[in-house]
């Protein structure tokens, strides 16, 4: 799952730049709009949004119930909407059942709550293997699950995008919502890690 560049190919940044230049020259994209889009995903849309959703669910049982019943609507309550967030389904991880997310076809991902996907999420090896041998892939990524924990792989598409509500770690009973949000990681909301205790 490393960020390698296949032999003989330019780094992705250079390829993206060349593509943007070409599209701009042909009048197909506006560089100002492109810059705004990149800025948005760098500063205001990312896993910090999902972390706020998770922390709210951990501290407000009624919100948690709404979140699991209708993820899109409950996430919109906190102001997180937009492309890639039209239909988000939230699944809860428990000691008995662990959910992990993939897009086997490409890289569908709940942008309003997680931002843009990490490169390993788009890696063909992750996409193929996590379906066939999720327990082994998770172990390689540092998450060893007990044999009695059932693993459910959720395949995101452009129609339905998944978000994991991770388990609240022990020792956080007295933490306020804002501090809980700071513990929640991107990987825990994809389901390839647990939220570490403080
Ligand atoms: Fe996809």
């Amino acid at each position: 799952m490393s960020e390698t560049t296949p032999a003989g190919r330019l780094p992705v940044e250079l390829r993206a730049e060349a593509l943007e230049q070409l599209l701009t020259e042909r009048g197909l994209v506006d560089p100002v709009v492109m810059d705004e889009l990149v800025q948005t995903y760098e500063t205001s849309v990312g896993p910090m949004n999902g972390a706020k959703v998770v922390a709210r669910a951990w501290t407000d049982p009624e919100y948690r119930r709404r979140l699991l019943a209708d993820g899109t609507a409950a996430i919109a309550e906190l102001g997180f909407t937009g492309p890639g967030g039209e239909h988000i389904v939230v699944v809860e991880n428990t000691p008995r059942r662990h959910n992990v997310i993939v897009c086997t076809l490409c890289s569908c991902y709940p942008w309003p709550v997680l931002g843009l996907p990490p490169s390993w999420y788009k890696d063909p090896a992750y996409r193929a293997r996590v379906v066939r041998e999720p327990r082994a892939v998770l172990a390689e990524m540092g998450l060893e699950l007990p044999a009695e924990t059932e693993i459910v792989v959720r395949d995101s598409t452009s129609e339905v995008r998944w978000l994991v509500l991770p388990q609240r770690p022990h020792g956080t009973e007295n933490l306020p919502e804002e501090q809980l949000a700071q513990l929640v990681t991107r990987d825990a909301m994809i389901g390839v890690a647990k939220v570490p205790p403080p």
Side-chain angles (χ1 to χ4, degrees), residues 139-194:
E140 285 167 25
M141 296 178 86
L143 179 60
E144 304 255 6
L145 291 170
E148 61 269 26
T149 302
E150 178 197 4
I151 301 176
V152 183
V153 180
R154 308 288 187 175
D155 194 358
S156 281
T157 63
S158 55
E159 303 291 314
V160 178
R161 296 163 195 241
W162 302 84
L163 179 74
V164 169
L165 173 58
Q167 290 182 68
R168 181 171 175 169
H170 294 295
T172 60
E173 291 74 15
N174 298 318
L175 287 188
E177 192 179 323
E178 294 72 28
Q179 282 180 38
L180 286 169
Q182 286 169 21
L183 297 176
V184 181
T185 62
R186 175 197 70 198
D187 287 1
M189 292 181 281
I190 303 175
V192 296
K194 290 193 174 187

Short mmCIF file of all heavy atoms in Angstrom, two decimals, residues 139-194:
data_model
loop_
_atom_site.label_atom_id
_atom_site.label_comp_id
_atom_site.label_asym_id
_atom_site.label_seq_id
_atom_site.Cartn_x
_atom_site.Cartn_y
_atom_site.Cartn_z
N ALA A 139 -4.77 -6.84 9.01
CA ALA A 139 -3.61 -7.16 9.86
C ALA A 139 -2.35 -6.52 9.29
O ALA A 139 -1.53 -5.95 10.02
CB ALA A 139 -3.44 -8.68 9.97
N GLU A 140 -2.20 -6.56 7.96
CA GLU A 140 -1.04 -5.92 7.33
C GLU A 140 -1.04 -4.42 7.57
O GLU A 140 0.01 -3.79 7.62
CB GLU A 140 -1.05 -6.19 5.82
CG GLU A 140 -0.65 -7.59 5.43
CD GLU A 140 -0.97 -7.89 3.97
OE1 GLU A 140 -1.04 -6.94 3.15
OE2 GLU A 140 -1.16 -9.08 3.65
N MET A 141 -2.23 -3.85 7.69
CA MET A 141 -2.32 -2.41 7.92
C MET A 141 -2.26 -2.08 9.42
O MET A 141 -2.43 -0.93 9.81
CB MET A 141 -3.61 -1.86 7.29
CG MET A 141 -3.62 -2.00 5.78
SD MET A 141 -5.16 -1.42 5.03
CE MET A 141 -4.79 0.34 4.82
N GLY A 142 -2.03 -3.11 10.23
CA GLY A 142 -1.82 -2.86 11.65
C GLY A 142 -3.04 -3.08 12.52
O GLY A 142 -3.01 -2.77 13.71
N LEU A 143 -4.09 -3.62 11.95
CA LEU A 143 -5.31 -3.85 12.74
C LEU A 143 -5.59 -5.35 12.84
O LEU A 143 -6.09 -5.97 11.90
CB LEU A 143 -6.51 -3.14 12.11
CG LEU A 143 -7.84 -3.32 12.83
CD1 LEU A 143 -7.79 -2.80 14.25
CD2 LEU A 143 -8.98 -2.64 12.07
N GLU A 144 -5.23 -5.93 13.97
CA GLU A 144 -5.47 -7.36 14.22
C GLU A 144 -6.80 -7.48 14.93
O GLU A 144 -6.97 -6.96 16.03
CB GLU A 144 -4.37 -7.93 15.11
CG GLU A 144 -2.96 -7.73 14.58
CD GLU A 144 -2.36 -9.01 14.01
OE1 GLU A 144 -3.10 -10.02 13.93
OE2 GLU A 144 -1.18 -8.99 13.64
N LEU A 145 -7.74 -8.17 14.31
CA LEU A 145 -9.06 -8.34 14.93
C LEU A 145 -9.19 -9.75 15.47
O LEU A 145 -8.71 -10.70 14.86
CB LEU A 145 -10.16 -8.07 13.90
CG LEU A 145 -10.29 -6.61 13.45
CD1 LEU A 145 -11.24 -6.50 12.27
CD2 LEU A 145 -10.74 -5.72 14.60
N PRO A 146 -9.87 -9.88 16.64
CA PRO A 146 -10.07 -11.23 17.18
C PRO A 146 -10.90 -12.09 16.23
O PRO A 146 -11.73 -11.57 15.47
CB PRO A 146 -10.83 -10.97 18.48
CG PRO A 146 -11.02 -9.51 18.62
CD PRO A 146 -10.46 -8.82 17.43
N ALA A 147 -10.66 -13.40 16.29
CA ALA A 147 -11.33 -14.32 15.36
C ALA A 147 -12.85 -14.24 15.48
O ALA A 147 -13.56 -14.46 14.50
CB ALA A 147 -10.85 -15.75 15.63
N GLU A 148 -13.34 -13.89 16.67
CA GLU A 148 -14.80 -13.87 16.85
C GLU A 148 -15.44 -12.61 16.27
O GLU A 148 -16.66 -12.51 16.20
CB GLU A 148 -15.18 -14.04 18.33
CG GLU A 148 -14.66 -12.96 19.26
CD GLU A 148 -13.29 -13.31 19.85
OE1 GLU A 148 -12.54 -14.10 19.23
OE2 GLU A 148 -12.97 -12.78 20.93
N THR A 149 -14.62 -11.64 15.86
CA THR A 149 -15.18 -10.43 15.25
C THR A 149 -15.46 -10.69 13.77
O THR A 149 -14.56 -11.03 13.01
CB THR A 149 -14.21 -9.23 15.38
OG1 THR A 149 -13.93 -9.00 16.76
CG2 THR A 149 -14.81 -7.97 14.76
N GLU A 150 -16.72 -10.53 13.42
CA GLU A 150 -17.11 -10.69 12.01
C GLU A 150 -16.66 -9.45 11.24
O GLU A 150 -16.79 -8.33 11.73
CB GLU A 150 -18.63 -10.83 11.94
CG GLU A 150 -19.18 -10.94 10.54
CD GLU A 150 -20.69 -10.66 10.47
OE1 GLU A 150 -21.29 -10.30 11.52
OE2 GLU A 150 -21.24 -10.80 9.38
N ILE A 151 -16.12 -9.64 10.03
CA ILE A 151 -15.69 -8.50 9.21
C ILE A 151 -16.63 -8.38 8.02
O ILE A 151 -16.87 -9.35 7.30
CB ILE A 151 -14.24 -8.66 8.72
CG1 ILE A 151 -13.29 -8.80 9.91
CG2 ILE A 151 -13.83 -7.46 7.85
CD1 ILE A 151 -11.84 -9.07 9.53
N VAL A 152 -17.19 -7.18 7.84
CA VAL A 152 -18.09 -6.93 6.72
C VAL A 152 -17.46 -5.88 5.82
O VAL A 152 -17.12 -4.79 6.28
CB VAL A 152 -19.47 -6.45 7.20
CG1 VAL A 152 -20.41 -6.28 6.02
CG2 VAL A 152 -20.05 -7.41 8.23
N VAL A 153 -17.27 -6.22 4.54
CA VAL A 153 -16.67 -5.29 3.59
C VAL A 153 -17.79 -4.55 2.86
O VAL A 153 -18.69 -5.18 2.31
CB VAL A 153 -15.77 -6.04 2.58
CG1 VAL A 153 -15.15 -5.07 1.59
CG2 VAL A 153 -14.68 -6.81 3.32
N ARG A 154 -17.74 -3.22 2.90
CA ARG A 154 -18.77 -2.40 2.26
C ARG A 154 -18.20 -1.79 1.00
O ARG A 154 -17.21 -1.08 1.03
CB ARG A 154 -19.21 -1.27 3.20
CG ARG A 154 -19.62 -1.73 4.58
CD ARG A 154 -20.94 -2.45 4.55
NE ARG A 154 -21.43 -2.75 5.90
CZ ARG A 154 -22.60 -3.29 6.15
NH1 ARG A 154 -23.42 -3.60 5.16
NH2 ARG A 154 -22.97 -3.53 7.39
N ASP A 155 -18.86 -2.07 -0.13
CA ASP A 155 -18.37 -1.61 -1.42
C ASP A 155 -19.07 -0.31 -1.81
O ASP A 155 -20.25 -0.31 -2.13
CB ASP A 155 -18.62 -2.70 -2.47
CG ASP A 155 -17.84 -2.46 -3.75
OD1 ASP A 155 -17.14 -1.43 -3.85
OD2 ASP A 155 -17.94 -3.32 -4.66
N SER A 156 -18.32 0.78 -1.79
CA SER A 156 -18.87 2.08 -2.17
C SER A 156 -19.05 2.17 -3.68
O SER A 156 -18.29 1.58 -4.43
CB SER A 156 -17.93 3.21 -1.74
OG SER A 156 -18.06 3.47 -0.36
N THR A 157 -20.06 2.91 -4.07
CA THR A 157 -20.28 3.17 -5.48
C THR A 157 -20.63 4.65 -5.62
O THR A 157 -20.71 5.36 -4.63
CB THR A 157 -21.47 2.34 -6.02
OG1 THR A 157 -22.65 2.77 -5.33
CG2 THR A 157 -21.26 0.87 -5.83
N SER A 158 -20.89 5.08 -6.84
CA SER A 158 -21.30 6.47 -7.00
C SER A 158 -22.71 6.68 -6.45
O SER A 158 -23.13 7.78 -6.17
CB SER A 158 -21.24 6.88 -8.47
OG SER A 158 -22.00 5.98 -9.24
N GLU A 159 -23.44 5.57 -6.22
CA GLU A 159 -24.80 5.67 -5.67
C GLU A 159 -24.79 5.72 -4.14
O GLU A 159 -25.50 6.51 -3.54
CB GLU A 159 -25.63 4.45 -6.11
CG GLU A 159 -25.73 4.26 -7.61
CD GLU A 159 -26.55 5.34 -8.28
OE1 GLU A 159 -27.64 5.63 -7.75
OE2 GLU A 159 -26.09 5.90 -9.29
N VAL A 160 -24.02 4.82 -3.54
CA VAL A 160 -23.98 4.72 -2.08
C VAL A 160 -22.54 4.78 -1.61
O VAL A 160 -21.70 4.01 -2.07
CB VAL A 160 -24.61 3.39 -1.60
CG1 VAL A 160 -24.51 3.28 -0.08
CG2 VAL A 160 -26.05 3.28 -2.04
N ARG A 161 -22.27 5.71 -0.71
CA ARG A 161 -20.93 5.81 -0.13
C ARG A 161 -21.03 5.57 1.37
O ARG A 161 -21.94 6.07 2.01
CB ARG A 161 -20.32 7.18 -0.43
CG ARG A 161 -20.13 7.36 -1.94
CD ARG A 161 -19.93 8.80 -2.31
NE ARG A 161 -20.11 8.99 -3.74
CZ ARG A 161 -19.17 9.45 -4.56
NH1 ARG A 161 -17.99 9.77 -4.10
NH2 ARG A 161 -19.40 9.59 -5.85
N TRP A 162 -20.10 4.81 1.90
CA TRP A 162 -20.19 4.36 3.28
C TRP A 162 -19.27 5.18 4.18
O TRP A 162 -18.22 5.67 3.75
CB TRP A 162 -19.79 2.89 3.38
CG TRP A 162 -20.63 1.99 2.55
CD1 TRP A 162 -20.47 1.70 1.22
CD2 TRP A 162 -21.79 1.25 2.97
NE1 TRP A 162 -21.45 0.82 0.80
CE2 TRP A 162 -22.26 0.54 1.85
CE3 TRP A 162 -22.45 1.13 4.18
CZ2 TRP A 162 -23.39 -0.29 1.93
CZ3 TRP A 162 -23.57 0.30 4.25
CH2 TRP A 162 -24.02 -0.40 3.12
N LEU A 163 -19.67 5.26 5.45
CA LEU A 163 -18.83 5.87 6.48
C LEU A 163 -18.93 4.97 7.72
O LEU A 163 -20.02 4.54 8.08
CB LEU A 163 -19.32 7.28 6.83
CG LEU A 163 -18.53 8.00 7.93
CD1 LEU A 163 -17.17 8.47 7.40
CD2 LEU A 163 -19.31 9.20 8.46
N VAL A 164 -17.79 4.69 8.32
CA VAL A 164 -17.78 3.86 9.53
C VAL A 164 -17.90 4.75 10.76
O VAL A 164 -17.19 5.75 10.89
CB VAL A 164 -16.48 3.02 9.60
CG1 VAL A 164 -16.34 2.37 10.98
CG2 VAL A 164 -16.47 1.95 8.51
N LEU A 165 -18.79 4.36 11.67
CA LEU A 165 -18.84 4.94 13.01
C LEU A 165 -17.99 4.04 13.89
O LEU A 165 -18.40 2.94 14.25
CB LEU A 165 -20.29 5.00 13.52
CG LEU A 165 -20.50 5.44 14.96
CD1 LEU A 165 -19.91 6.81 15.25
CD2 LEU A 165 -21.97 5.40 15.32
N PRO A 166 -16.77 4.47 14.20
CA PRO A 166 -15.86 3.58 14.94
C PRO A 166 -16.29 3.43 16.39
O PRO A 166 -17.12 4.19 16.89
CB PRO A 166 -14.50 4.28 14.86
CG PRO A 166 -14.69 5.55 14.10
CD PRO A 166 -16.16 5.78 13.94
N GLN A 167 -15.69 2.43 17.07
CA GLN A 167 -15.94 2.25 18.50
C GLN A 167 -15.28 3.37 19.28
O GLN A 167 -14.15 3.76 19.00
CB GLN A 167 -15.34 0.92 18.97
CG GLN A 167 -16.06 -0.31 18.47
CD GLN A 167 -15.41 -1.57 19.04
OE1 GLN A 167 -15.49 -1.83 20.24
NE2 GLN A 167 -14.77 -2.34 18.18
N ARG A 168 -15.99 3.84 20.28
CA ARG A 168 -15.41 4.85 21.16
C ARG A 168 -14.38 4.20 22.08
O ARG A 168 -14.68 3.19 22.73
CB ARG A 168 -16.54 5.48 21.98
CG ARG A 168 -16.06 6.57 22.92
CD ARG A 168 -17.26 7.27 23.53
NE ARG A 168 -16.88 8.25 24.52
CZ ARG A 168 -17.72 9.14 25.04
NH1 ARG A 168 -18.99 9.15 24.66
NH2 ARG A 168 -17.31 10.01 25.93
N PRO A 169 -13.15 4.72 22.10
CA PRO A 169 -12.13 4.04 22.90
C PRO A 169 -12.39 4.16 24.40
O PRO A 169 -13.02 5.12 24.86
CB PRO A 169 -10.82 4.75 22.52
CG PRO A 169 -11.21 6.01 21.86
CD PRO A 169 -12.63 5.89 21.39
N HIS A 170 -11.87 3.18 25.15
CA HIS A 170 -11.96 3.22 26.62
C HIS A 170 -11.17 4.42 27.13
O HIS A 170 -10.21 4.87 26.50
CB HIS A 170 -11.40 1.93 27.22
CG HIS A 170 -12.23 0.72 26.87
ND1 HIS A 170 -13.53 0.57 27.29
CD2 HIS A 170 -11.95 -0.36 26.10
CE1 HIS A 170 -14.00 -0.58 26.82
NE2 HIS A 170 -13.08 -1.15 26.08
N GLY A 171 -11.59 4.91 28.27
CA GLY A 171 -10.85 6.02 28.88
C GLY A 171 -11.26 7.38 28.35
O GLY A 171 -10.59 8.38 28.60
N THR A 172 -12.37 7.42 27.59
CA THR A 172 -12.81 8.70 27.02
C THR A 172 -14.16 9.12 27.59
O THR A 172 -14.79 10.03 27.06
CB THR A 172 -12.92 8.62 25.49
OG1 THR A 172 -13.88 7.60 25.15
CG2 THR A 172 -11.59 8.29 24.84
N GLU A 173 -14.57 8.44 28.66
CA GLU A 173 -15.92 8.65 29.21
C GLU A 173 -16.17 10.10 29.60
O GLU A 173 -17.28 10.60 29.50
CB GLU A 173 -16.17 7.73 30.41
CG GLU A 173 -16.26 6.24 30.05
CD GLU A 173 -14.91 5.60 29.69
OE1 GLU A 173 -13.85 6.20 29.98
OE2 GLU A 173 -14.92 4.49 29.12
N ASN A 174 -15.11 10.79 30.06
CA ASN A 174 -15.29 12.15 30.55
C ASN A 174 -14.89 13.23 29.55
O ASN A 174 -14.93 14.42 29.87
CB ASN A 174 -14.51 12.35 31.85
CG ASN A 174 -15.01 11.42 32.95
OD1 ASN A 174 -16.22 11.23 33.09
ND2 ASN A 174 -14.10 10.82 33.69
N LEU A 175 -14.48 12.82 28.35
CA LEU A 175 -14.02 13.82 27.38
C LEU A 175 -15.20 14.52 26.72
O LEU A 175 -16.19 13.88 26.36
CB LEU A 175 -13.16 13.17 26.29
CG LEU A 175 -11.75 12.71 26.66
CD1 LEU A 175 -11.02 12.28 25.40
CD2 LEU A 175 -10.98 13.81 27.37
N PRO A 176 -15.10 15.83 26.54
CA PRO A 176 -16.15 16.54 25.81
C PRO A 176 -16.07 16.26 24.31
O PRO A 176 -15.04 15.78 23.80
CB PRO A 176 -15.85 18.02 26.10
CG PRO A 176 -14.40 18.05 26.45
CD PRO A 176 -14.05 16.72 27.03
N GLU A 177 -17.15 16.58 23.64
CA GLU A 177 -17.28 16.27 22.20
C GLU A 177 -16.10 16.80 21.38
O GLU A 177 -15.59 16.09 20.51
CB GLU A 177 -18.60 16.89 21.72
CG GLU A 177 -19.04 16.45 20.36
CD GLU A 177 -20.38 17.08 19.97
OE1 GLU A 177 -21.24 17.25 20.84
OE2 GLU A 177 -20.53 17.41 18.79
N GLU A 178 -15.67 18.02 21.64
CA GLU A 178 -14.58 18.63 20.84
C GLU A 178 -13.30 17.82 20.97
O GLU A 178 -12.58 17.63 19.98
CB GLU A 178 -14.31 20.07 21.28
CG GLU A 178 -15.45 21.05 21.02
CD GLU A 178 -16.63 20.84 21.96
OE1 GLU A 178 -16.41 20.36 23.10
OE2 GLU A 178 -17.77 21.13 21.56
N GLN A 179 -13.01 17.35 22.19
CA GLN A 179 -11.78 16.57 22.37
C GLN A 179 -11.91 15.18 21.78
O GLN A 179 -10.94 14.62 21.26
CB GLN A 179 -11.41 16.49 23.84
CG GLN A 179 -10.76 17.78 24.34
CD GLN A 179 -10.40 17.69 25.82
OE1 GLN A 179 -9.96 16.65 26.32
NE2 GLN A 179 -10.61 18.78 26.53
N LEU A 180 -13.10 14.62 21.83
CA LEU A 180 -13.33 13.31 21.21
C LEU A 180 -13.08 13.41 19.71
O LEU A 180 -12.45 12.53 19.11
CB LEU A 180 -14.77 12.85 21.47
CG LEU A 180 -15.09 12.37 22.88
CD1 LEU A 180 -16.59 12.19 23.04
CD2 LEU A 180 -14.36 11.07 23.19
N ALA A 181 -13.55 14.49 19.10
CA ALA A 181 -13.39 14.66 17.64
C ALA A 181 -11.91 14.65 17.26
O ALA A 181 -11.55 14.15 16.19
CB ALA A 181 -14.06 15.95 17.17
N GLN A 182 -11.07 15.17 18.13
CA GLN A 182 -9.65 15.22 17.80
C GLN A 182 -8.99 13.85 17.82
O GLN A 182 -7.91 13.67 17.25
CB GLN A 182 -8.93 16.17 18.77
CG GLN A 182 -9.24 17.63 18.45
CD GLN A 182 -8.79 18.58 19.54
OE1 GLN A 182 -7.93 18.24 20.34
NE2 GLN A 182 -9.36 19.77 19.56
N LEU A 183 -9.64 12.88 18.47
CA LEU A 183 -9.07 11.52 18.50
C LEU A 183 -9.41 10.72 17.24
O LEU A 183 -8.72 9.77 16.90
CB LEU A 183 -9.64 10.75 19.70
CG LEU A 183 -9.35 11.24 21.12
CD1 LEU A 183 -10.11 10.36 22.11
CD2 LEU A 183 -7.86 11.20 21.39
N VAL A 184 -10.49 11.10 16.57
CA VAL A 184 -11.02 10.27 15.48
C VAL A 184 -10.18 10.45 14.22
O VAL A 184 -9.95 11.56 13.76
CB VAL A 184 -12.48 10.66 15.18
CG1 VAL A 184 -13.05 9.79 14.06
CG2 VAL A 184 -13.34 10.53 16.43
N THR A 185 -9.70 9.34 13.69
CA THR A 185 -8.83 9.40 12.51
C THR A 185 -9.59 9.02 11.24
O THR A 185 -10.62 8.34 11.29
CB THR A 185 -7.65 8.42 12.64
OG1 THR A 185 -8.18 7.09 12.73
CG2 THR A 185 -6.82 8.73 13.88
N ARG A 186 -9.03 9.46 10.13
CA ARG A 186 -9.57 9.08 8.82
C ARG A 186 -9.64 7.56 8.69
O ARG A 186 -10.67 7.00 8.28
CB ARG A 186 -8.65 9.66 7.73
CG ARG A 186 -9.03 9.23 6.32
CD ARG A 186 -7.90 9.47 5.34
NE ARG A 186 -6.80 8.55 5.57
CZ ARG A 186 -5.56 8.72 5.12
NH1 ARG A 186 -5.24 9.78 4.44
NH2 ARG A 186 -4.62 7.81 5.37
N ASP A 187 -8.53 6.88 9.02
CA ASP A 187 -8.47 5.44 8.83
C ASP A 187 -9.53 4.70 9.66
O ASP A 187 -10.05 3.68 9.23
CB ASP A 187 -7.08 4.91 9.17
CG ASP A 187 -6.06 5.29 8.08
OD1 ASP A 187 -6.45 5.96 7.11
OD2 ASP A 187 -4.88 4.90 8.22
N ALA A 188 -9.84 5.25 10.85
CA ALA A 188 -10.88 4.61 11.67
C ALA A 188 -12.24 4.74 11.01
O ALA A 188 -13.10 3.87 11.15
CB ALA A 188 -10.91 5.23 13.06
N MET A 189 -12.45 5.84 10.27
CA MET A 189 -13.75 6.04 9.61
C MET A 189 -13.83 5.28 8.29
O MET A 189 -14.91 5.16 7.71
CB MET A 189 -14.01 7.54 9.41
CG MET A 189 -14.23 8.28 10.73
SD MET A 189 -14.57 10.03 10.52
CE MET A 189 -12.93 10.70 10.22
N ILE A 190 -12.70 4.76 7.81
CA ILE A 190 -12.72 3.85 6.65
C ILE A 190 -12.83 2.41 7.17
O ILE A 190 -13.29 1.52 6.46
CB ILE A 190 -11.44 4.02 5.78
CG1 ILE A 190 -11.27 5.45 5.30
CG2 ILE A 190 -11.47 3.08 4.58
CD1 ILE A 190 -9.98 5.71 4.53
N GLY A 191 -12.39 2.22 8.41
CA GLY A 191 -12.47 0.89 9.01
C GLY A 191 -11.18 0.09 8.90
O GLY A 191 -11.19 -1.12 9.10
N VAL A 192 -10.06 0.75 8.62
CA VAL A 192 -8.78 0.04 8.57
C VAL A 192 -7.96 0.27 9.83
O VAL A 192 -6.82 -0.15 9.92
CB VAL A 192 -7.95 0.41 7.31
CG1 VAL A 192 -8.68 0.00 6.04
CG2 VAL A 192 -7.62 1.91 7.29
N ALA A 193 -8.57 0.93 10.80
CA ALA A 193 -7.89 1.18 12.08
C ALA A 193 -8.96 1.36 13.13
O ALA A 193 -10.15 1.52 12.82
CB ALA A 193 -7.00 2.41 11.99
N LYS A 194 -8.54 1.34 14.40
CA LYS A 194 -9.43 1.72 15.49
C LYS A 194 -9.04 3.11 15.95
O LYS A 194 -7.93 3.57 15.70
CB LYS A 194 -9.29 0.74 16.65
CG LYS A 194 -9.89 -0.63 16.32
CD LYS A 194 -10.03 -1.47 17.57
CE LYS A 194 -10.77 -2.77 17.22
NZ LYS A 194 -11.10 -3.56 18.42
#
